[in-house]
Amino acid sequence: MKHGKVFILFLFVLVTLGILIVYQFLRVHYSNSNSYHLQNWKFKNQLVINEATVFIGRNYRGAKEAIVFSDEHKFYRYSTNLSGEIDYIYLRFSKDWFETHLQPYLQPSPNVPSLLNRVEKIRKENYKDFSHILDIPAKTGQKLQANLYLANRKVFVNFSGQIIRPMLRSDNGTAKLAIDNIWNNYQDGIFQVFYDPSSRIANIIPWWIDERKKALDAACSFLDIEWKYGPITYFIFETRDQIISYGITSGQILPSENQIFTLFDQTPGYSLAKLIAFHMTNGKEIESQLIREGLFSLLNQQLYDPDEFCRKLINKKDFKLLGENFTTCEYAYPMGASFVNFLINNYGLNTFKQFFGQNEYSEAEAFEFYYNKKGESLQKEWKQYLNSPIPSARDYQEHALKSE
């Protein structure tokens, strides 16, 4: 028995030592002997470093990562012309990428003990943000993060693929987009707007917000609800290329945060309608593009009346709105808006809210459950509605409330 316990203890010590030895082989190490001077280096034509001190982290397989301390303290981001002071850059890479894209720009450098003292702390701060097995990064591609000061505000930037994202670290180590830290902002009541300092929106912000106020009031009035869900934040982009560079799509919303990401010339009501609908139904929405997009388009404060628009076309074309057909319709959005307007005018606002604010039923099942009719029957009624003197979308609220 005693010999058995000794053997188990010996085995445990042996395995532990084996793990430690393997770990030391795999672990990336930094030292003054692996410090270099970096000259005239570009990363994806988005980050330009003319002079820097670089520490290369290595394990038994060679160079695995680098930490760069720029001598110029400038950061360039071509898509929005942002510049700021670089604190450091943390880069992970494959062997092939290092030998092709970084090593040719390195020259021997004198020891810099003050910077080496920061290296391990920087590595620990950034290492957890990457997908890896021990210290072995992916064989292809590269990842880069940089701690920066943009407009005197500390952010870190994540470079992945062709996208650069200024981010902020929270106390728990997660990150969020840092646009609000580096852009100008303007507040009017419950609306707060962030915009690029060079944006053409700067001179018309009060008018721009006023149009959103009108859209919010009109949408809430239409839906017979009161906005009590807190401030609304807009992030305004100049171009589609700019908004894509941040990894965002135009009109995207973060409803739980009341945040809307939009182009400066986007219509005022569409994204607001999505936000209002989210709160109206506690995040539940029917699985139907026809109904969702129809409601959002109806509240979009467009210059045209969707009923009048469709009334001119209804007898000329054979429209099929239901199911997947909606996405193939040439005039899908005004037709969806008109169809939703018909449902509200004819069957009441409360019924529509219940119909819209659920995801238990498919589109076809929901029509039968809430309206006791098949979708095809309602589509025929909609065509009849367009040829009748029923109030148009501009008169919807009073008629809808009377229909309850």
Side-chain angles (χ1 to χ4, degrees):
M1 180 68 71
K2 184 177 179 180
H3 291 294
K5 289 183 178 180
V6 172
F7 176 75
I8 292 174
L9 179 61
F10 173 77
L11 188 62
F12 173 77
V13 171
L14 189 64
V15 170
T16 302
L17 285 173
I19 292 174
L20 290 174
I21 291 171
V22 171
Y23 176 71
Q24 287 302 314
F25 269 106
L26 292 176
R27 184 174 181 271
V28 170
H29 295 272
Y30 286 89
S31 68
N32 266 321
S33 61
N34 280 311
S35 64
Y36 300 87
H37 186 67
L38 178 66
Q39 282 188 312
N40 302 321
W41 183 70
K42 291 183 180 181
F43 186 88
K44 296 183 178 296
N45 288 324
Q46 295 170 316
L47 180 67
V48 179
I49 300 293
N50 293 325
E51 302 282 342
T53 299
V54 182
F55 288 85
I56 302 297
R58 301 176 183 272
N59 66 7
Y60 83 101
R61 300 183 68 181
K64 292 299 174 185
E65 58 186 47
I67 295 175
V68 181
F69 297 97
S70 174
D71 297 337
E72 289 190 312
H73 307 300
K74 285 187 178 180
F75 161 79
Y76 300 88
R77 184 169 190 276
Y78 296 153
S79 61
T80 54
N81 298 316
L82 290 174
S83 64
E85 180 180 344
I86 295 177
D87 184 16
Y88 67 78
I89 300 169
Y90 175 80
L91 177 63
R92 285 181 65 80
F93 40 70
S94 65
K95 178 184 177 183
D96 291 343
W97 190 91
F98 170 72
E99 292 176 350
T100 303
H101 298 286
L102 185 58
Q103 191 172 33
Y105 302 91
L106 299 177
Q107 299 177 2
S109 169
N111 294 345
V112 190
S114 61
L115 293 179
L116 181 62
N117 292 337
R118 294 188 59 201
V119 165
E120 192 59 35
K121 181 180 178 181
I122 289 171
R123 182 173 190 273
K124 288 179 179 178
E125 191 176 67
N126 290 271
Y127 180 77
K128 61 182 178 295
D129 294 328
F130 295 92
S131 297
H132 45 64
I133 301 175
L134 292 176
D135 280 317
I136 305 175
K139 290 185 178 180
T140 59
Q142 66 291 325
K143 300 267 187 170
L144 180 151
Q145 290 187 171
N147 238 34
L148 315 170
Y149 291 90
L150 297 180
N152 296 318
R153 298 181 179 94
K154 188 174 182 179
V155 302
F156 82 92
V157 174
N158 176 268
F159 295 69
S160 180
Q162 298 301 319
I163 296 172
I164 304 179
R165 294 189 180 94
M167 309 290 283
L168 284 177
R169 278 198 179 92
S170 65
D171 292 339
N172 63 6
T174 59
K176 68 174 185 176
L177 208 60
I179 298 174
D180 53 343
N181 237 40
I182 58 179
W183 280 9
N184 291 348
N185 72 85
Y186 184 98
Q187 188 157 3
D188 184 349
I190 68 167
F191 288 92
Q192 186 171 23
V193 172
F194 291 92
Y195 58 95
D196 191 307
S198 62
S199 172
R200 72 190 88 176
I201 203 77
N203 296 325
I204 59 170
I205 286 288
W207 170 84
W208 197 92
I209 292 179
D210 191 55
E211 292 298 300
R212 272 72 194 165
K213 287 181 180 179
K214 293 176 184 177
L216 178 67
D217 290 344
C220 287
S221 177
F222 169 60
L223 294 171
D224 194 30
I225 64 173
E226 178 185 358
W227 181 261
K228 53 184 179 182
Y229 308 104
I232 299 172
T233 303
Y234 276 94
F235 298 93
I236 308 175
F237 296 82
E238 283 286 291
T239 65
R240 293 193 180 278
D241 287 342
Q242 185 190 34
I243 201 169
I244 290 171
S245 75
Y246 281 88
I248 301 169
T249 56
S250 181
Q252 181 177 333
I253 68 170
L254 294 177
S256 61
E257 303 291 332
N258 288 340
Q259 294 181 347
I260 297 174
F261 302 86
T262 182
L263 292 172
F264 78 96
D265 58 353
Q266 196 164 359
T267 52
Y270 183 83
S271 296
L272 270 175
K274 292 164 69 174
L275 188 61
I276 294 166
F278 173 86
H279 289 293
M280 178 182 74
T281 62
N282 294 317
K284 284 188 175 183
E285 291 182 2
I286 185 172
E287 292 294 330
S288 167
Q289 280 191 301
L290 165 62
I291 301 304
R292 290 201 309 267
E293 297 299 333
L295 177 63
F296 304 153
S297 299
L298 181 61
L299 301 178
N300 198 17
Q301 307 300 304
Q302 297 274 23
L303 297 178
Y304 66 84
D305 180 323
D307 287 350
E308 288 297 327
F309 183 88
C310 293
R311 191 169 284 129
K312 296 175 181 178
L313 298 172
I314 197 66
N315 296 318
K316 298 179 181 180
K317 293 180 178 288
D318 182 24
F319 296 124
K320 295 180 179 179
L321 296 179
L322 307 177
E324 295 179 359
N325 289 316
F326 176 73
T327 59
T328 64
C329 287
E330 183 179 0
Y331 301 103
Y333 292 93
M335 287 193 299
S338 177
F339 186 73
V340 166
N341 193 51
F342 150 74
L343 291 176
I344 293 171
N345 276 331
N346 277 39
Y347 294 95
L349 184 58
N350 284 340
T351 299
F352 178 81
K353 286 182 180 180
Q354 295 172 35
F355 169 67
F356 182 91
Q358 58 77 38
N359 50 25
E360 290 84 9
Y361 301 101
S362 66
E363 179 183 279
E365 293 169 338
F367 281 131
E368 294 201 48
F369 185 85
Y370 290 95
Y371 293 101
N372 201 29
K373 293 183 179 181
K374 290 186 178 295
E376 290 78 4
S377 297
L378 289 167
Q379 181 173 290
K380 289 179 181 178
E381 289 184 22
W382 167 64
K383 291 184 177 181
Q384 295 170 357
Y385 155 86
L386 288 176
N387 289 316
S388 70
I390 291 176
S392 69
R394 300 302 182 204
D395 305 315
Y396 45 65
Q397 186 192 13
E398 182 180 355
H399 183 84
L401 294 175
K402 287 180 181 179
S403 301
E404 297 299 333

